[in-house]
Amino acid sequence: MSGQSYDELMAKIAELQQEAEAVRRMELDAVIADVRAKIKKYNLSATDLGLSGAPARRNARPAAPARIKIAPGSYRNPATGEIKEVGAAGRKPGWLAAMNADELAAARVS
């Protein structure tokens, strides 16, 4: 151990914190001037820096959820038992479009 008491160490910590704050205040003007010069040079805004409170700019649109492709063929409506012939083009029936892959496989008529 260092041979110093707890009170002595706490006093030393307080003294070093005061010294660090004094050095920080002396360096602060130079740091602010440097940051301002770079903001001006690169024509940055508060939004560019994430300081406006608004979310950062995004160029890409969020990805849409993956859709299951429905292959042309015959499918049985599980609610009515009706068999529907579905082509490659055109809108699919709502009951068919709402199915997941497992349900589609089960509804497909060979």
Side-chain angles (χ1 to χ4, degrees), residues 6-110:
Y6 178 75
D7 290 335
E8 291 171 334
L9 290 173
M10 292 304 290
K12 195 178 216 179
I13 289 171
E15 182 182 325
L16 287 171
Q17 285 177 332
Q18 288 176 348
E19 187 177 334
E21 182 60 26
V23 170
R24 180 183 140 336
R25 275 187 258 127
M26 287 189 312
E27 294 176 357
L28 197 56
D29 290 336
V31 170
I32 290 173
D34 183 45
V35 170
R36 283 184 177 160
K38 288 180 180 177
I39 287 172
K40 187 175 183 179
K41 178 180 177 181
Y42 292 102
N43 194 25
L44 298 173
S45 68
T47 304
D48 294 331
L49 300 173
L51 301 175
S52 67
R57 289 187 289 173
R58 287 189 146 177
N59 294 336
R61 292 176 58 187
R67 293 185 143 209
I68 297 172
K69 294 198 181 232
I70 300 172
S74 297
Y75 293 89
R76 183 181 311 275
N77 183 340
T80 64
E82 170 192 18
I83 295 178
K84 175 80 175 171
E85 185 70 30
V86 177
R91 186 175 172 147
K92 310 300 185 243
W95 58 267
L96 189 60
M99 290 184 169
N100 64 33
D102 295 331
E103 293 170 327
L104 277 175
R108 184 155 179 123
V109 178
S110 303

